[in-house]
Amino acid sequence: MRSHGRPVLGRARAPGVRLRPEPLTLRAGLRRHPAAAHAARGFRTGQYNKVPVLQGINRHEGRAGAYAAEMGKKGATGDPEAVLDQADYRARLEQEFGPRKAVAIAARYPVSAYDGSPALALGAVLTDADQARRTVDTGRTLARGVRTYTYEFADHETPWYADAATYPKPSFPMAATHTFELPYLFELTEFDPLTEPQQALSDAMIRIWSNFARTGKAPWKPTTTASPNAQSLASGPDGVHPVDFAKDHQYDFWKSLD
């Protein structure tokens, strides 16, 4: 937990262990669990507790999936230098979305647009197809009934795991991938220490979260049925700013594949 007089948001546990959410905070997207269908029905029909909502994702959520794929290839081949290639990328697209959609997705997310890295392209696909799309849909649904705010944790240089032997770094930057916002909100010894700019972002995020829990408001425009009005949260002098979330994550493209 954070100390030295700053607000405490909850108990921190090891990476990968689910933290108990605060009542006013909702992570975007409903997970597949027994209550998911009931919750989704409640949101659609308006039968839920009418409280303000702060929802969001990490900018590079899907890179965690690309990391798992690269580590899996290293293990399967016995080659510690193995990385994902174009064939791996295409095979994963077909596995996730089927051969027909895979063609359109590969054209929309060419490896050449991601520094020639199939892993980065795959990370973008997994982020946009799932968490980002769900964030837009969830925000639109909730905005019909309650004041809703959308954020995107987007720090490009984030702390790595302190135990690098157990969690070796991949061939590509993980940036704001799944769970990598946690050391900004909790004191976790499982991660390397924050740098000074990262600490400043941590302070800002804790202040936003704490003020929201107290007032039900965030310091940016609420989400509407027409626009997420998302706020990017990253370190640096211009790190906190509005973003066109739906456009950045190619929401219309993914809807067109339905």
Side-chain angles (χ1 to χ4, degrees), residues 19 29 42 46 50 62 74 95 105 114 123 136 148 152 204 229 236 241:
L19 301 175
K50 300 300 193 296
K74 293 179 188 296
Q95 176 187 0
I105 295 168
Y114 297 90
V136 176
T148 302
E152 179 176 66
N229 289 328
H241 61 274

Side-chain angles (χ1 to χ4, degrees), residues 53-55 139 143 146-152 208 212 216-233 240-245:
V53 172
L54 176 63
Q55 62 132 14
V146 298
R147 187 169 60 245
T148 302
Y149 298 91
T150 300
Y151 73 89
E152 179 176 66
I208 291 168
F212 177 79
K217 296 181 179 179
W220 60 85
K221 290 181 179 180
T223 295
T224 68
T225 56
S227 173
N229 289 328
Q231 190 84 342
S232 176
L233 305 176
V240 179
H241 61 274
V243 290
D244 191 338
F245 186 92

Side-chain angles (χ1 to χ4, degrees), residues 70-129:
E70 182 173 292
M71 294 302 115
K73 184 173 184 178
K74 293 179 188 296
T77 62
D79 179 4
E81 303 301 321
V83 297
L84 300 183
D85 56 27
Q86 288 267 18
D88 297 322
Y89 177 50
R90 187 58 178 268
R92 180 62 180 271
L93 294 184
E94 293 185 358
Q95 176 187 0
E96 293 283 341
F97 306 101
R100 181 181 63 82
K101 290 183 180 180
V103 173
I105 295 168
R108 190 78 174 199
Y109 292 79
V111 170
S112 60
Y114 297 90
D115 297 327
S117 169
L120 291 181
L122 177 61
V125 167
L126 297 179
T127 299
D128 296 355

Side-chain angles (χ1 to χ4, degrees), residues 13-252:
R13 302 190 69 181
V17 176
R18 187 181 300 277
L19 301 175
R20 185 178 301 278
E22 293 299 320
L24 295 178
T25 302
L26 174 69
R27 289 289 291 180
L30 295 172
R31 300 300 178 190
R32 293 183 177 88
H33 55 76
H38 177 74
R41 186 164 53 250
F43 286 135
R44 286 196 303 269
T45 60
Q47 296 178 324
Y48 58 91
N49 290 333
K50 300 300 193 296
V51 296
V53 172
L54 176 63
Q55 62 132 14
I57 65 167
N58 291 358
R59 177 71 180 85
H60 310 104
E61 290 272 6
R63 291 188 188 182
Y67 175 83
E70 182 173 292
M71 294 302 115
K73 184 173 184 178
K74 293 179 188 296
T77 62
D79 179 4
E81 303 301 321
V83 297
L84 300 183
D85 56 27
Q86 288 267 18
D88 297 322
Y89 177 50
R90 187 58 178 268
R92 180 62 180 271
L93 294 184
E94 293 185 358
Q95 176 187 0
E96 293 283 341
F97 306 101
R100 181 181 63 82
K101 290 183 180 180
V103 173
I105 295 168
R108 190 78 174 199
Y109 292 79
V111 170
S112 60
Y114 297 90
D115 297 327
S117 169
L120 291 181
L122 177 61
V125 167
L126 297 179
T127 299
D128 296 355
D130 185 17
Q131 290 98 332
R133 178 176 174 176
R134 290 172 183 264
T135 298
V136 176
D137 290 338
T138 301
R140 286 177 174 173
T141 299
L142 290 173
R144 296 188 185 103
V146 298
R147 187 169 60 245
T148 302
Y149 298 91
T150 300
Y151 73 89
E152 179 176 66
F153 175 73
D155 221 7
H156 284 275
E157 294 186 11
T158 49
W160 188 248
Y161 296 111
D163 185 1
T166 301
Y167 302 101
K169 288 186 176 182
S171 63
F172 55 94
M174 291 291 280
T177 194
H178 185 61
T179 76
F180 273 34
E181 84 284 10
L182 294 182
Y184 293 74
L185 296 170
F186 306 92
E187 287 185 348
L188 299 175
T189 58
E190 291 83 4
F191 288 87
D192 289 334
L194 300 177
T195 65
E196 186 174 339
Q198 291 166 350
Q199 187 66 61
L201 175 60
S202 169
D203 293 341
M205 291 173 62
I206 289 177
R207 187 163 52 248
I208 291 168
W209 265 239
S210 300
N211 287 340
F212 177 79
R214 181 173 58 85
T215 68
K217 296 181 179 179
W220 60 85
K221 290 181 179 180
T223 295
T224 68
T225 56
S227 173
N229 289 328
Q231 190 84 342
S232 176
L233 305 176
S235 58
D238 301 317
V240 179
H241 61 274
V243 290
D244 191 338
F245 186 92
K247 181 179 179 181
D248 290 349
H249 291 285
Q250 309 202 49
Y251 176 81
D252 289 342

